[in-house]
Amino acid sequence: MLSRWATLIATGARATPQRVNAAVLPRLDPLASVDSNVADFVSALERGGFEGELRTDYATRLSAATDNSIYQVLPAAVLFPRSTRDVALALQLIDEPRFHRVALTARGGGTGTNGQSLTSGVVMDLSRHMAKILALDLEGGFVSVQSGVVLDDLNRFLKPHGVYFAANLSPSNRATLGGMIATDASGEGSRIHGKTSEHVLDLEVVLRGGIVHRTASVRGAELDVRCAEPGLVGAAHKLARDIATMRREEIASTFPKLRRFMTGYNLARMAASDGSSVDLAQLVAGSEGSLGVVTEARLRLTPTQPHHALLVLRYPSFDAALASAEWLLATDPGSVETIDETVLALARGDVIYDQVRDFVADTGSATTRAINLVEYSGNEEANVKAKARRTATR
């Protein structure tokens, strides 16, 4: 339904495995020639004044052939844009019929686990040069960043000011904000803070044809005017409004009533069900680059909570750990993370196991086969300790 304005620029393909010594291993051919269409595309970028790096050497391509998934896909070229103009030029050219056979995939930190940043075509890596923190407005409660900024770097910058970007995930020392927006990422603390999209105020996004658009929550008469505009931006707002109103019952019944869920196209939040407002940032977030490439973001800040308590609860089985979820949620934790027997067994073989042995080891004759990590946070130390104490003594 979104195909009237959406162009799929994110693609991935698995490398063909070859059998070696009875083991199946992905093989990447260093002698594989660069596709002529890609070579022409790279040449067109150079002639068009692309200011970033255009790389087709094997070493650079190899470094972009893997991410945090199990896949290996060797790209034909890697681009490192220096500005929104570079990104716009790439998407302008890719929209020309002569380059329709060239796949273009935006990449951040490569922390996705499903091969989202891999392609046999062209990788556009925004993490190398487009990684600036642009503005901080503590009174307004927001920070503006380029899409290549790494989450830990941002929160390190924000820490002295008593605020942070609340959406969190485990590879925070590598994950970029652009990638987090593209996948609508979330992790620890999502029960309280939700997903990345809930902290996005607006985005600068480059759409097909190289159109640079700054999103905004548009409503009322302003929305009517925007929907009537010729071109892609007007059509996108009208389509989002039409889908939200015409399919409101289906959307309401299909999307789960959960704070955290994998959205794809977030039809539930892109527009009001009565058609009174549209926010394309909520549609772009989670679309994994298929609607455009995010180059800048204005993000909502969250005050830091200074006090924390972590409980490690041990269980004789994974099912027992899961069964306790309901009453644990009633204690109002910031997060609950369950670790099963397989992960615990792997942990026991790790070099740092001795540092955590006392927390996860068997107790007497009882064998620990699962644990729940339960975290409480707050502004008042006494309240945090009281919550943790009530849970521990239950």
Side-chain angles (χ1 to χ4, degrees):
M1 186 175 291
L2 294 175
S3 59
R4 283 157 49 184
W5 74 286
T7 180
L8 186 63
I9 63 171
T11 185
R14 293 177 176 85
T16 302
Q18 298 178 10
R19 188 165 294 276
V20 179
N21 295 329
V24 178
L25 300 173
R27 309 290 290 183
L28 302 178
D29 184 2
L31 301 179
S33 60
V34 175
D35 182 274
S36 60
N37 291 307
V38 172
D40 291 343
F41 176 68
V42 172
S43 296
L45 283 171
E46 189 171 17
R47 292 194 302 273
F50 190 89
E51 296 178 345
E53 300 174 55
L54 303 170
R55 305 291 291 272
T56 57
D57 60 282
Y58 180 69
T60 302
R61 293 160 56 206
L62 184 63
S63 68
T66 61
D67 58 5
N68 207 28
S69 72
I70 63 173
Y71 309 117
Q72 291 183 321
V73 184
L74 186 67
V78 183
L79 314 179
F80 298 96
R82 293 186 183 276
S83 64
T84 298
R85 179 190 175 280
D86 279 349
V87 177
L89 176 60
L91 267 68
Q92 177 186 345
L93 289 174
I94 210 79
D95 198 42
E96 296 182 6
R98 59 178 171 148
F99 295 128
H100 280 183
R101 297 183 65 182
V102 177
L104 178 67
T105 297
R107 180 184 177 110
T111 59
T113 57
N114 298 300
Q116 300 101 312
S117 66
L118 306 182
T119 179
S120 58
V122 179
V123 168
M124 183 161 60
D125 189 331
L126 288 84
S127 67
R128 176 170 292 186
H129 300 301
M130 298 183 67
K132 297 181 181 66
I133 298 173
L134 302 171
L136 173 62
D137 187 334
L138 294 174
E139 184 175 345
F142 69 85
V143 63
S144 295
V145 300
Q146 290 184 309
S147 57
V149 171
V150 172
L151 177 59
D152 275 0
D153 292 341
L154 174 61
N155 281 332
R156 211 164 10 248
F157 169 80
L158 295 172
K159 186 175 181 178
H161 303 285
V163 293
Y164 72 116
F165 183 70
N168 191 19
L169 59 163
S170 55
S172 58
N173 63 344
R174 308 180 305 285
T176 64
L177 271 300
M180 290 178 63
I181 293 166
T183 58
D184 205 1
S186 62
E188 181 188 1
S190 59
R191 175 182 173 270
I192 302 296
H193 300 296
K195 301 181 297 178
T196 295
S197 59
E198 296 185 49
H199 305 273
V200 170
L201 297 175
D202 56 62
L203 301 173
E204 179 184 81
V205 57
V206 183
L207 307 174
R208 63 178 298 177
I211 298 171
V212 181
H213 175 63
R214 173 68 70 167
T215 68
S217 180
V218 188
R219 60 188 68 248
E222 184 182 2
L223 177 59
D224 293 333
V225 172
R226 177 57 58 85
C227 290
E229 290 179 0
L232 182 60
V233 173
H237 282 83
K238 184 178 185 304
L239 181 59
R241 183 175 66 176
D242 290 348
I243 291 174
T245 54
M246 293 188 295
R247 308 296 290 272
R248 71 175 74 183
E249 293 183 3
E250 184 179 358
I251 292 171
S253 63
T254 301
F255 280 71
K257 304 300 186 290
L258 299 172
R259 189 73 184 269
R260 172 183 177 182
F261 60 93
M262 302 309 292
T263 60
Y265 296 123
N266 196 344
L267 307 185
R269 293 194 60 182
M270 67 176 181
S273 60
D274 62 359
S276 61
S277 66
V278 170
D279 186 355
L280 291 187
Q282 295 301 313
L283 183 57
V284 171
S287 65
E288 299 197 2
S290 62
L291 303 181
V293 177
V294 174
T295 50
E296 293 181 11
R298 194 165 64 99
L299 307 170
R300 181 181 293 110
L301 298 174
T302 299
T304 302
Q305 293 183 315
H307 302 288
H308 305 270
L310 179 67
L311 292 182
V312 181
L313 305 181
R314 290 177 272 196
Y315 300 84
S317 70
F318 184 53
D319 287 345
L322 294 180
S324 67
E326 187 172 356
W327 76 262
L328 282 175
L329 289 179
T331 69
D332 193 30
S335 65
V336 179
E337 184 166 356
T338 303
I339 299 177
D340 64 16
E341 188 173 11
T342 300
V343 176
L344 286 178
L346 292 171
R348 291 186 177 102
D350 196 277
V351 293
I352 67 167
Y353 180 67
D354 285 342
Q355 300 177 34
V356 298
R357 179 188 298 273
D358 292 342
F359 297 104
V360 300
D362 298 339
T363 304
S365 61
T367 301
T368 300
R369 290 193 169 92
I371 63 174
N372 277 331
L373 301 175
V374 187
E375 183 177 23
Y376 299 93
S377 302
N379 294 318
E380 301 294 332
E381 183 179 11
N383 290 341
V384 173
K385 286 184 175 180
K387 283 185 179 181
R389 190 178 301 111
R390 283 195 296 268
T391 301
T393 56
R394 175 167 175 162

